[in-house]
Amino acid sequence: MNKIQLAMRNKVNEALGEVEYQLDLFMDNGYKSNFKIEKYLKQLEFKRKLVEMMKPEWDGLIAEVSSEEEDFIEAYNFMNKTQKARFLKFLRSLGEGCDKYIAANEAEWKAETSRRRIMNKAKKRNKQRIEEISKGTGYAKRK
């Protein structure tokens, strides 16, 4: 993993710490919460790649809670059926919230990307022109 990927992973892990805290609050408050992941991601100004790295973190927990395997049933037997259903709904809403956030910001991200591409092309052309000028008269010689 290079430095950029490591920095991205650390940023995602910091954000997931807050989400884990919200999960704990959700269970402590009688399986109710006002936490909206879309607002949280907007506050952090997360980009698409970071959100996509974050999203699969709840898939394992969803699979555990909804599993019919004996070990998982025993692990989550402190929840009754209603609580399990609310918990699963909250976990799924986190994933759906990530999808909504990506969809809401897609146009803005594409516009920013195209703007950067145009700026980079202009810089490259300008650099080439400066090199031409510094080599000679600045005018292309005709044959």
Side-chain angles (χ1 to χ4, degrees), residues 1-136:
M1 203 181 290
N2 65 29
K3 288 182 181 181
I4 294 173
Q5 290 171 332
L6 189 61
M8 289 171 65
R9 175 53 51 197
N10 289 339
K11 194 169 184 177
V12 167
N13 285 339
E14 282 182 31
L16 286 172
E18 176 63 27
V19 175
E20 289 289 328
Y21 175 69
Q22 292 297 328
L23 281 171
D24 291 341
L25 284 178
F26 176 78
M27 293 195 311
D28 291 343
N29 293 333
Y31 295 87
K32 295 177 186 172
S33 177
N34 293 328
F35 179 71
K36 299 288 183 216
I37 190 105
E38 304 100 279
K39 289 181 182 178
Y40 179 60
L41 293 172
K42 187 173 185 173
Q43 179 183 2
L44 295 176
E45 296 179 353
F46 263 28
K47 299 292 183 193
R48 180 186 189 115
K49 186 68 176 171
L50 295 173
V51 177
E52 287 174 350
M53 289 172 71
M54 178 187 273
K55 191 178 169 195
E57 295 294 325
W58 304 289
D59 293 343
L61 190 55
I62 290 171
E64 282 182 15
V65 174
S66 59
S67 174
E68 295 299 321
E69 197 172 313
E70 189 175 318
D71 292 336
F72 292 129
I73 291 173
E74 184 179 338
Y76 293 99
N77 69 356
F78 65 91
M79 292 182 198
N80 62 33
K81 252 186 171 178
T82 307
Q83 292 171 333
K84 270 188 185 180
R86 286 182 182 169
F87 189 62
L88 283 170
K89 183 179 177 184
F90 183 70
L91 289 173
R92 289 185 180 119
S93 75
L94 293 175
E96 291 167 4
C98 288
D99 291 337
K100 287 179 186 175
Y101 177 77
I102 289 171
N105 291 294
E106 191 71 35
E108 180 184 333
W109 293 332
K110 283 184 179 180
E112 176 69 19
T113 301
S114 65
R115 187 190 65 78
R116 283 187 181 163
R117 283 188 182 137
I118 291 168
M119 292 297 292
N120 287 339
K121 284 181 182 179
K123 282 181 187 178
K124 187 176 179 180
R125 281 193 307 257
N126 194 21
K127 185 178 177 183
Q128 289 171 346
R129 183 70 182 129
I130 289 171
E131 287 174 6
E132 284 177 14
I133 292 172
S134 63
K135 284 182 182 177

